[in-house]
Amino acid sequence: MEKDTTIGKEKIAGLFDAGTFVEIGAYLKREGGDLTGVVCGYGAVNGKLAYAFAQDSDRQKGAFDALQAKKIETVYEMALKNGAPVIGVFDSIGAYVSDGAGALSAYGKLLACVSRASGTVPQIAVIGGVCSGMAATAAAMFDAVITVKEVSKLFVNAPFLVGREVGTAEYAAENGLAAVSAASEDEAFAIARELISMLPSNCEEGTYADDPMDDVNRLVAVDGLTGRALCEAVADCGRFLEMGECYAKETVTGLAKVGGVCCGFVAGNGSVNGGVLTGDGAKKAARLISFCDSFSIPVVTLIDSEGVAVSAEEEGSPLAAQLGKLAMAYATADTAKVTVVTGKAWGAAFTLMGSRGLGADLVYALPTASVSVMAPESAVAFLWNDRITEENTRAALVEEWNATCAAPEAAAADGSIDDVISSAELRSRICSAVYMLLVKSGNATARKHCNLPL
């Protein structure tokens, strides 16, 4: 029997270092000799072992069947045994309908594989064509979904059933399903390779420090910066991989190396609606924190937020539940957590975005930061309204509140902030904190006995 050589194999080989891809199950075929619509194998990604499967629309239009599930299951078994990440390239019209319930059971096996690997090895999904129905459910379970503009179709129910256009790459990005939207398949593969290179191979390996490609003590000019621009200023060589750029833009999340260490970033984007915490923004941040904690990746939080969103629409999100998820994500994560108040931290935003009370290891603030129990104007109206006179105007009292009650030194005085740091030293102080916490353990170091003073 001849070994199969197809376009699908050439496609999956593009994920790996040249000459390193090894195919698994190359001779497996359906009864009657038809090729099953997936290519599986392993190889090196910038020298790191990784596994992959790629559905091939040129083979029976990528129709999913029991044999395809078996091949993917083998990939996952090997990946888990060897503690290496998995990349899945989705491109299929759906189930092999003539297989009946067998095709539905095959989807169950796929979902089980993804579920068992979740939190153990990183999983990156690339939507290389149509990804519909149960396949869309499986892709959504991956740690990161990468779509290709004008190519990807990602939906549970087809547009003609829903009654409007859904499932495009743009639609997936705007609804938070896609972490990154690439301009081409080559770019999507490059992003997947970058993620594999940055991330730990498995949950036991945890994060580590590579040789930094940037000066750890590099001074930065961050005054006036917020959101993505601020993350880029702190990141090594300014390289910040934003996740969910088109979704909940008031909160920025992503990955970057800081001093050679891969870190997750959560940042309030003060340039969009004051960086207020919305239900979608809280959900977006909680997902990244949970992912980082699974693989012991440090979380750096940069606060610039005017508080929690106020609207009937947000209350129906439901806002309280989404904020609760964010609080639980921070509180239960035992990975390293470093927080810096870089702008406004008003009301619940200070509490919910990685505060000392929620378990942050270190909390810093810039000299220009504003830490207030509520918006200064509201605080003056609530607490100091009786002090307003013709000479002592409301504007003057707001200025006084900002200079005293909302000053970062006031928060540092009660231990809510560890230090007020120079804005130019923001990068170096974050690097120092991450290095110090790199081997953080949830338990105190065990000892045999004390050393007697003899």
Side-chain angles (χ1 to χ4, degrees):
M1 183 168 58
E2 291 186 10
K3 181 178 178 180
D4 173 46
T5 56
T6 64
I7 295 174
K9 181 178 176 180
E10 295 175 2
K11 178 186 290 189
I12 194 174
L15 285 166
F16 299 98
D17 299 346
T20 66
F21 175 68
V22 178
E23 189 173 358
I24 300 170
Y27 291 91
L28 288 175
K29 296 183 179 181
R30 289 173 54 87
E31 284 187 30
D34 290 337
L35 300 169
T36 188
V38 70
V39 180
C40 302
Y42 63 90
V45 175
N46 293 328
K48 292 176 63 174
L49 174 64
Y51 293 81
F53 65 87
Q55 292 181 314
D56 183 4
S57 58
D58 292 325
R59 299 177 172 188
Q60 301 293 323
K61 297 185 178 180
F64 194 77
D65 58 9
L67 188 57
Q68 192 172 145
K70 179 181 178 180
K71 291 180 71 172
I72 294 174
E73 190 174 30
T74 300
V75 165
Y76 269 96
E77 288 173 354
M78 297 179 73
L80 290 175
K81 284 180 182 178
N82 293 287
V86 175
I87 304 171
V89 182
F90 291 83
D91 185 5
S92 169
I93 61 168
Y96 212 109
V97 179
S98 61
D99 284 357
L104 299 177
S105 296
Y107 273 124
K109 290 182 179 180
L110 172 60
L111 295 171
C113 286
V114 179
S115 180
R116 283 193 293 267
S118 182
T120 303
V121 296
Q123 299 179 85
I124 312 300
V126 178
I127 312 303
V130 177
C131 179
S132 62
M134 295 288 244
T137 302
M141 294 167 63
F142 277 54
D143 298 311
V145 176
I146 304 170
T147 55
V148 181
K149 293 177 181 177
E150 299 182 2
V151 173
S152 299
K153 302 293 182 183
L154 181 60
F155 52 80
V156 174
N157 295 301
F160 74 88
L161 293 173
V162 176
R164 62 189 180 93
E165 185 64 31
V166 297
T168 63
E170 293 74 15
Y171 188 86
E174 290 169 1
N175 285 276
L177 184 54
V180 184
S181 185
S184 65
E185 187 175 84
D186 287 343
E187 184 182 341
F189 281 10
I191 294 169
R193 286 174 54 85
E194 182 178 6
L195 282 169
I196 295 300
S197 299
M198 292 176 66
L199 299 172
S201 291
N202 55 70
C203 60
E204 291 187 353
E205 179 180 272
T207 195
Y208 49 87
D210 285 330
D211 290 335
M213 303 299 291
D214 196 355
D215 181 4
V216 172
N217 295 311
R218 172 170 58 84
L219 299 181
V220 292
V222 298
D223 291 336
L225 297 184
T226 188
R228 176 171 180 151
L230 183 59
C231 296
E232 289 175 337
V234 172
D236 288 358
C237 303
R239 177 54 178 162
F240 174 67
L241 182 57
E242 187 169 356
M243 315 286 278
E245 179 181 0
C246 299
Y247 175 69
K249 296 181 180 181
E250 64 281 350
T251 301
V252 171
T253 59
L255 297 168
K257 286 197 172 183
V258 180
V261 179
C262 178
C263 295
F265 278 76
V266 176
N269 185 6
S271 64
V272 177
N273 197 22
V276 295
L277 266 177
T278 61
D280 288 344
K283 182 167 63 175
K284 177 180 174 180
R287 177 171 174 78
L288 181 84
I289 295 163
S290 177
F291 167 70
C292 289
D293 188 49
S294 295
F295 298 101
S296 300
I297 298 170
V299 175
V300 177
T301 305
L302 305 175
I303 308 178
D304 186 8
S305 172
E306 295 182 357
V308 172
V310 180
S311 73
E313 181 182 0
E314 282 296 332
E315 287 296 330
S317 55
L319 183 59
Q322 301 298 356
L323 296 179
K325 290 176 186 177
L326 178 60
M328 291 182 70
Y330 273 116
T332 58
D334 58 14
T335 191
K337 291 170 286 190
V338 180
T339 299
V340 185
V341 183
T342 60
K344 298 171 182 176
W346 294 351
F350 177 75
T351 305
L352 292 168
M353 296 186 71
S355 65
R356 170 70 75 183
L358 278 180
D361 297 292
L362 287 169
V363 180
Y364 297 133
L366 300 186
T368 53
S370 173
V371 183
S372 181
V373 69
M374 61 180 72
E377 291 79 4
S378 301
V380 168
F382 186 71
L383 296 172
W384 290 357
N385 206 49
D386 58 338
R387 292 180 53 188
I388 297 174
T389 63
E390 190 173 333
E391 293 77 19
N392 199 21
T393 64
R394 184 179 300 275
L397 288 173
V398 169
E399 187 175 340
E400 180 184 344
W401 180 274
N402 285 326
T404 55
C405 301
E409 290 80 6
D414 67 11
S416 297
I417 288 175
D418 293 296
D419 196 4
V420 180
I421 64 175
S422 163
S423 59
E425 296 178 346
L426 177 61
R427 170 179 158 80
S428 62
R429 293 296 291 268
I430 290 176
C431 287
S432 173
V434 168
Y435 286 156
M436 184 270 289
L437 296 165
L438 200 57
V439 291
K440 175 186 174 184
S441 171
N443 301 311
T445 303
R447 68 173 180 174
K448 186 175 182 181
H449 56 70
C450 64
N451 183 26
L452 295 176
L454 300 176

